[in-house]
Amino acid sequence: MKRVVITGLGAVTPVGNDIPAFWESLSNGRSGIGPITHFDASGYKAQVAAEVKDFDITQYVDKMAAKRLDLFSQYAISAAQQAMDDSGLVCDPERLGVYIGSGIGGLSTMIREEEKLLKSGPGRVSPMTIPMMIANLAAGNVAIRFNAQGPCLPVVTACATGTNAIGEAYRTIAGGWADAIIAGGTEASITTLGVAAFTTCMALTQNNDPATACRPFDKRRDGFVMGEGAGVLILEEYEHAKARGAKIYAEVAGYGHTCDAHHVTAPDPEAGGASRAIRQAIEQAGYCDTDRVYYNAHGTSTPLNDASETKAVKLAFGPEKAYQVAISSTKSMTGHMLGAAGAVEAIVSVLALKNGLLPPTIGYSEPDPECDLDYIPNTARRTDIDLAVSASLGFGGHNACLAFRKVQ
């Protein structure tokens, strides 16, 4: 197995549209949650979301090209360009891949073209509808942009998408099938249908106070806040990166992937699948009891997820060590970015490892007896760590986990 490292990062998020702005916001506990502005949400029970702000796609593509891209693809291209610029990657096109997934794909395009169909008939539907809507086109558009002719895989595992995309890219490079892969996740589903549907399946909070709407692991939590954006990392074979003198953020040291096989939306309350995914990742990373660990939680602020995930951490690390693991849910600031969440949270984990600063879980004030671990409440913590772990738990029972170490 070849070693795999991270040489570039890019992000478009509710708290910043590049890595410096994103990290500065998280380090200071700044939330991106506010009233929905993408549409009139006055008749909705859920009226807050974590929207991307001041996004300008024309920094990356011209106006005519942008009109042929759904917003989820625009976010992906923007984050990918940032990551490629950061990496300075030069690679044989046939050895360069793209693994960028989306949980839902071009939902805004689907809604807009359906409205045209119903109002004006089938002849008014855009010929670009399918290329803009289908979930694989974020990866496809990025591959075209960078002439990436190697493996191209748009993972779709709901909220675990970004983590699985990075993990599968890691396995592909480690197995020798590519030298580098542009990997991550993207989502743009803060739409009329998206918010209505997540609300009726009882997933979203109906607390419309932006300051308290998302409070992971707090006893008063009652649902997640929708977010949007993209996160992209450049994964590269270690010797390839070293040979070109690349800047290296961290090494991908482990990856775990399991399924609950329990329910279409609810996590397994016994946390068997989630704990196995975490354990797979940390064991592959050579975890030992003396490691100082940061765990970026899935931490959605839903009653079932946060309790189940707490149990998963205890099962994976052991009942004593679990209380020494520093945990935070950065969804308290970014909202739940769905298919992009895992990728953005992998970036958080890498930066926490590199910078020795652990972002907080903001909005936390009332402990829950079922959630009794160290959740880094409200204020970032400066401390060096040996192992950074990032987990994502998706609808359908998809569990994925990544582990990162500094390069030795």
Side-chain angles (χ1 to χ4, degrees), residues 170-383:
Y170 157 68
R171 285 181 175 173
T172 299
I173 297 171
W177 297 103
D179 292 329
I181 295 180
I182 305 165
T186 185
E187 206 75 83
S189 297
I190 303 175
T191 61
T192 51
L193 180 60
V195 174
F198 273 113
T199 300
T200 55
C201 78
M202 307 301 291
L204 297 187
T205 180
Q206 296 178 29
N207 171 8
N208 292 314
D209 173 13
T212 61
C214 188
R215 41 194 173 190
F217 304 106
D218 187 285
K219 187 176 182 179
R220 300 163 299 162
R221 67 192 186 277
D222 66 346
F224 75 78
V225 172
M226 281 187 72
E228 62 177 352
V232 172
L233 302 84
I234 306 302
L235 273 62
E236 190 171 352
E237 193 272 322
Y238 173 63
E239 296 296 338
H240 188 278
K242 191 169 70 170
R244 67 181 186 87
K247 168 183 61 182
I248 295 175
Y249 284 96
E251 181 169 0
V252 185
Y255 169 52
H257 180 204
T258 66
C259 186
D260 287 348
H262 169 71
H263 191 271
V264 292
T265 58
D268 177 4
E270 299 305 314
S275 64
R276 284 189 294 112
I278 298 168
R279 194 159 55 244
Q280 286 173 12
I282 63 175
E283 287 178 354
Q284 188 175 1
Y287 166 74
C288 63
D289 285 345
T290 57
D291 278 332
R292 297 164 295 179
V293 180
Y294 168 64
Y295 175 88
N296 187 285
H298 188 57
T300 57
S301 190
T302 62
L304 293 179
N305 175 89
D306 295 3
S308 175
E309 188 172 14
T310 297
K311 185 175 289 187
V313 172
K314 292 177 180 178
L315 289 171
F317 287 97
E320 294 183 7
K321 178 65 178 183
Y323 288 92
Q324 300 170 29
V325 174
I327 302 168
S328 68
S329 171
T330 44
K331 287 184 178 70
S332 60
M333 295 171 276
T334 66
H336 190 348
M337 296 171 66
L338 306 177
V344 167
E345 290 159 15
I347 292 171
V348 174
S349 302
V350 167
L351 292 175
L353 182 68
K354 179 178 183 292
N355 297 325
L357 183 70
L358 313 184
T361 304
I362 69 168
Y364 182 91
S365 63
E366 187 171 341
D368 180 346
E370 286 192 284
C371 302
D372 59 348
L373 300 178
D374 175 11
Y375 303 112
I376 316 179
N378 301 308
T379 304
R381 182 178 301 166
R382 187 163 291 283
T383 183

Side-chain angles (χ1 to χ4, degrees), residues 142-166:
V142 170
I144 292 166
R145 184 179 184 88
F146 297 106
N147 191 30
Q149 300 176 27
C152 188
L153 182 67
V155 174
V156 181
T157 49
C159 312
T161 293
T163 301
N164 278 135
I166 296 164

Side-chain angles (χ1 to χ4, degrees), residues 68-87:
R68 297 181 173 221
L69 297 168
D70 186 272
L71 190 57
F72 89 106
S73 283
Q74 293 184 17
Y75 288 158
I77 287 171
S78 303
Q81 186 66 64
Q82 291 176 31
M84 287 292 280
D85 289 346
D86 184 35
S87 173

